[in-house]
Amino acid sequence: MSNHSAKKIHNFIDGHYVSGSEGKSFDDISPVDGSLVAVVSEASKSDVDQAVTAAKKALTGPWGQMSVSERSRLLHAVADRIDERFEEFLEAEMADTGKPRALASTVDIPRGAANFRIFADLIRNEPDHVFQQETPDGMGALNYTVRKPKGVIAVISPWNLPMLLMTWKVAPALACGNTIVAKPSEDTPATAALLGDVMNEVGIPAGVFNVVHGFGPNSAGEFLTNHPNVDAITFTGETRTGEAIMKAAAVGVRDISSELGGKNAAIVFADCDLDKAVSGAVRSSFTNCGQVCLCTERVYVERSIFDEFVRRVVEETRQLRIGTPKGEGTDFGPLVSSKHRDKVLQYFEIAHTDGATIHTGGGIPDMPKELQGGAWIEPTIWTGLPETSRVIREEIFGPCCHIQPFDAEDEAIHMANDTPYGLASVIWTENLSRAHRVAPLLETGITWVNTWNLRDLRTPFGGSKASGIGREGGAYSLEFYTEIKNICIKI
Ligand code: NAD
């Protein structure tokens, strides 16, 4: 379907935009109406090799000799330039993802800039450690640690929060002095490509930040993670992809940080503030059309308030305005692609077969003719499924949640934990003792009490169990993006 007049998105290698050396390209399709957004140059194995070679060389150039304060100044300049080019980033993100302007303009793009600022400041203030030692001869030794960049970092990111999640890795990696080859999702290549231009504008040396476009297996993703000169891989995406990337990282014993899938639960106790719990559940299930790794797909509600809770959540969900990114008051856009919608609709089918009661949604909404090529879907609420249903066991990553009653605190904790995943959980209760008692028992990297997705970028972020390995955020990111070296001086 390639089109000569369409916008082109190229790879960004060693400070230049280049097409794929094998002349391959793929289409970037709008999830809003199925139209062509851009034609994207697919990086060949040799293009990926060039990007990695440029990144390796840049480690020892001016970037490698740069003071921490100069690096920090440049990262602040990147953030400032993202702010100045805010509308371009916003347009690019909305065109690729179809997400509402209200969301992309308050979360995705501002967080992209904020990610650079927090790590630019953090790196200037991070102390090293000193250990005084008494040696057997009664003299002493001084041990101290220094942080060194790990080297060339492969950044592999998904399509749900393209700018936010890519910069969540790129910013700390650069702050620590590494160089980067980024591979954004094939569904959302635009903001990563634009970031290359920003790097040039503010004076980040050529080769420090590179972007290659393409798919996973037998394409840019796999070429990159298999490249022997990549020193570490940071990945966000599906658990199954994470497993494949871990195997690639095993060759040469390279470090990996992975933020993977989830099947997040919320527990709503009868002693909650019901207004807040209802709005919170709607937000945590349907933000970004349910395509946030932290979204809630399972809600457990104490039986005495179950019926009222379901009624009110359904009522509030029905008020969500489905529409285009720029549409008046839109708070719910399409899924990212028709392919992803097919996957989500399969789970809608399974829910039906497994005997779910559908309280709202369950299909494709009626959209105007010009939007019918888009990946539209209805926000959907079910009750009545057995906990063994695939709808309850597997990550759907769509706008749907199943609400289940419980009678006892232990039972709710057991059901919330009965999953291979361990990313996020939410508790709704006004009982402080209960909050403190239950939160540590939930097997997730983060638990929110009476809120959802409230983030402080200094805190550790990551998953337990099949939801990932490692923590990123604040000083925790420095653990992954640096090699700590100890120097021992005998006195
Ligand atoms: P995905 O795993 O399909 O793809 C992610 C990236 O990996 C893409 O860039 C893709 O091209 C690349 N890729 C795929 N196969 C590869 C391979 N074999 N080698 C190298 N690269 C490969 O994930 P997605 O569908 O883009 O994103 C949705 C998933 O991401 C969901 O499971 C969601 O839960 C997860 N996610 C997790 C977090 C978190 O912080 N834990 C955040 C956002 C999304």
Side-chain angles (χ1 to χ4, degrees), residues 156-160 165 183-186 215-217 221-222 225 235-238 241 244-245 259-262 293 395 397 423 461:
I156 313 266
S157 47
W159 46 255
N160 62 325
L165 290 172
K183 211 295 283 168
S185 166
E186 53 275 31
F215 304 83
E222 217 169 70
T225 51
F235 169 71
T236 298
E238 278 193 24
T241 314
I245 290 178
E259 299 189 338
L260 309 177
C293 54
E395 181 187 49
F397 216 52
L423 190 54
F461 180 87

Side-chain angles (χ1 to χ4, degrees), residues 14 58 98 134 161 165 357 401 438 459:
D14 208 12
E134 193 173 308
L161 302 156
L165 290 172
T357 302
C401 79
V438 176
T459 58

Side-chain angles (χ1 to χ4, degrees), residues 222-418:
E222 217 169 70
F223 301 151
L224 181 58
T225 51
N226 285 335
H227 199 292
N229 284 339
V230 163
D231 297 295
I233 304 167
T234 173
F235 169 71
T236 298
E238 278 193 24
T239 295
R240 224 169 322 136
T241 314
E243 288 172 353
I245 290 178
M246 278 182 83
K247 286 185 189 145
V251 180
V253 195
R254 282 130 0 114
D255 204 357
I256 175 160
S257 162
S258 53
E259 299 189 338
L260 309 177
K263 186 73 186 176
N264 309 307
I267 305 180
V268 184
F269 291 99
D271 54 22
C272 71
D273 176 324
L274 195 59
D275 290 346
K276 288 186 187 147
V278 166
S279 300
V282 173
R283 208 164 72 82
S284 75
S285 294
F286 301 122
T287 296
N288 201 32
C289 212
Q291 303 167 121
V292 180
C293 54
L294 307 164
C295 274
T296 305
E297 291 187 354
R298 300 180 293 143
V299 182
Y300 299 101
V301 181
E302 200 160 349
R303 198 174 299 276
S304 59
I305 59 163
F306 181 78
D307 290 340
E308 187 183 358
F309 181 87
V310 172
R311 183 182 58 73
R312 290 188 52 183
V313 166
V314 168
E315 211 170 80
E316 211 167 294
T317 301
R318 289 201 177 124
Q319 277 156 30
L320 291 174
R321 284 156 303 186
I322 304 182
T324 59
K326 295 179 193 173
E328 189 75 22
T330 297
D331 31 38
F332 189 88
L335 287 170
V336 74
S337 65
S338 298
K339 184 171 154 223
H340 186 53
R341 186 177 66 173
D342 289 347
K343 177 187 153 189
V344 175
L345 285 173
Q346 275 176 19
Y347 283 98
F348 282 21
E349 205 44 56
I350 297 170
H352 178 72
T353 311
D354 288 356
T357 302
I358 303 167
H359 292 264
T360 188
I364 297 173
D366 274 340
M367 298 302 286
K369 195 157 183 281
E370 66 278 12
L371 298 178
Q372 284 176 5
W376 303 97
I377 196 159
E378 290 174 326
T380 296
I381 295 174
W382 303 292
T383 59
L385 284 170
E387 287 289 294
T388 49
S389 167
R390 284 180 59 201
V391 171
I392 308 294
R393 308 295 308 167
E394 298 172 13
E395 181 187 49
I396 301 172
F397 216 52
C400 47
C401 79
H402 180 257
I403 313 179
Q404 180 87 299
F406 71 86
D407 295 299
E409 190 177 290
D410 286 3
E411 184 196 2
I413 295 168
H414 172 77
M415 289 196 287
N417 285 340
D418 186 16

